[in-house]
């Protein structure tokens, strides 16, 4: 049986971090509030995308019981000076981005291309501002719907292990 070696996993992680990464947020389905939906391994898009944002922070990390990055389930990580097979991805949605929409799903896309003519400083994009969505590499359905408001920024962070 062939395996993907740890060095190969690190090489894939390095490749991913060299590409444009976007975090997309979506409504999902209201039924997910009472009946959690299984994540579809064949998914290529979110069920009902609200918008997407350029990933603002991406770091290599290591599993570390005393690490400063606390993830659900009690897992902890620390930042790594060297490349690893674990990547921490996060971004902050500003006031007014994704406002008043229930967020039940998030996804990370690689190689999204936005439409030309948009301001170079723009980092949040509505679905109609996306030229090419790219490839969905991570999909998560949230246990509880989240709602960003004009008075509350939204934050999302995850660990991608290859």
């Amino acid at each position: 049986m062939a395996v993907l070696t740890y060095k190969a996993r690190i090489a894939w992680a390095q490749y991913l971090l060299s590409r444009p990464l976007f975090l997309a947020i979506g409504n999902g389905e209201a039924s997910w509030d009472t009946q959690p939906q299984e994540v579809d391994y064949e998914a290529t898009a979110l069920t009902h995308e609200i918008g997407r944002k350029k990933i603002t922070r991406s770091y290599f990390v290591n599993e570390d019981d005393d690490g400063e990055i606390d993830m659900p389930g009690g897992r902890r990580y620390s930042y790594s000076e060297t490349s690893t097979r674990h990547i921490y991805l996060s971004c902050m949605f500003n006031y007014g981005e994704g406002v008043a929409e229930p967020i039940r799903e998030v996804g990370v896309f690689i190689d999204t291309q936005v439409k030309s003519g948009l301001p170079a400083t723009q980092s949040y994009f509505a679905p109609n501002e996306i030229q090419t969505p790219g490839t969905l590499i991570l999909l998560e359905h949230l246990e509880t719907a989240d709602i960003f408001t004009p008075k509350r920024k939204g934050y999302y962070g995850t660990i991608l292990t290859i």
Side-chain angles (χ1 to χ4, degrees):
M1 174 173 83
V3 298
L4 188 61
T5 66
Y6 285 135
K7 289 288 187 185
R9 292 169 192 258
I10 291 169
W12 277 111
Q14 290 169 330
Y15 172 76
L16 287 175
L17 289 185
S18 74
R19 308 300 305 155
L21 294 169
F22 284 76
L23 179 78
I25 54 175
N27 293 124
E29 298 289 343
S31 64
W32 298 355
D33 292 342
T34 56
Q35 298 174 329
Q37 179 73 19
E38 291 293 320
V39 175
D40 179 6
Y41 286 90
E42 301 289 329
T44 58
L46 300 187
T47 303
H48 298 287
E49 184 171 328
I50 298 167
R52 61 179 69 188
K53 178 129 181 154
K54 290 179 184 176
I55 296 280
T56 54
R57 293 187 182 146
S58 55
Y59 304 101
F60 290 107
V61 295
N62 285 310
E63 293 179 283
D64 181 352
D65 291 339
D66 298 319
E68 60 270 24
I69 303 169
D70 184 23
M71 298 302 291
R75 299 187 86 174
R76 299 186 75 83
Y77 295 81
S78 60
Y79 297 101
S80 175
E81 296 290 328
T82 59
S83 300
T84 71
R85 64 188 188 102
H86 307 284
I87 305 170
Y88 175 66
L89 303 170
S90 71
C91 72
M92 179 75 68
F93 287 81
N94 294 327
Y95 299 112
E97 295 175 338
V99 171
E101 299 271 2
I103 299 162
R104 296 181 184 93
E105 62 181 344
V106 295
V108 175
F109 286 82
I110 184 173
D111 292 335
T112 292
Q113 294 177 358
V114 299
K115 290 185 176 175
S116 62
L118 297 172
T121 57
Q122 183 174 342
S123 64
Y124 177 80
F125 303 91
N128 65 349
E129 296 175 309
I130 302 298
Q131 181 69 41
T132 306
T135 302
L136 178 64
I137 63 169
L138 182 144
L139 176 63
E140 181 180 359
H141 293 172
L142 304 179
E143 290 182 18
T144 305
D146 195 6
I147 298 179
F148 304 161
T149 69
K151 294 182 180 183
R152 181 178 161 269
K153 290 183 178 186
Y155 170 80
Y156 184 78
T158 192
I159 302 287
L160 175 60
T161 297
I162 301 171

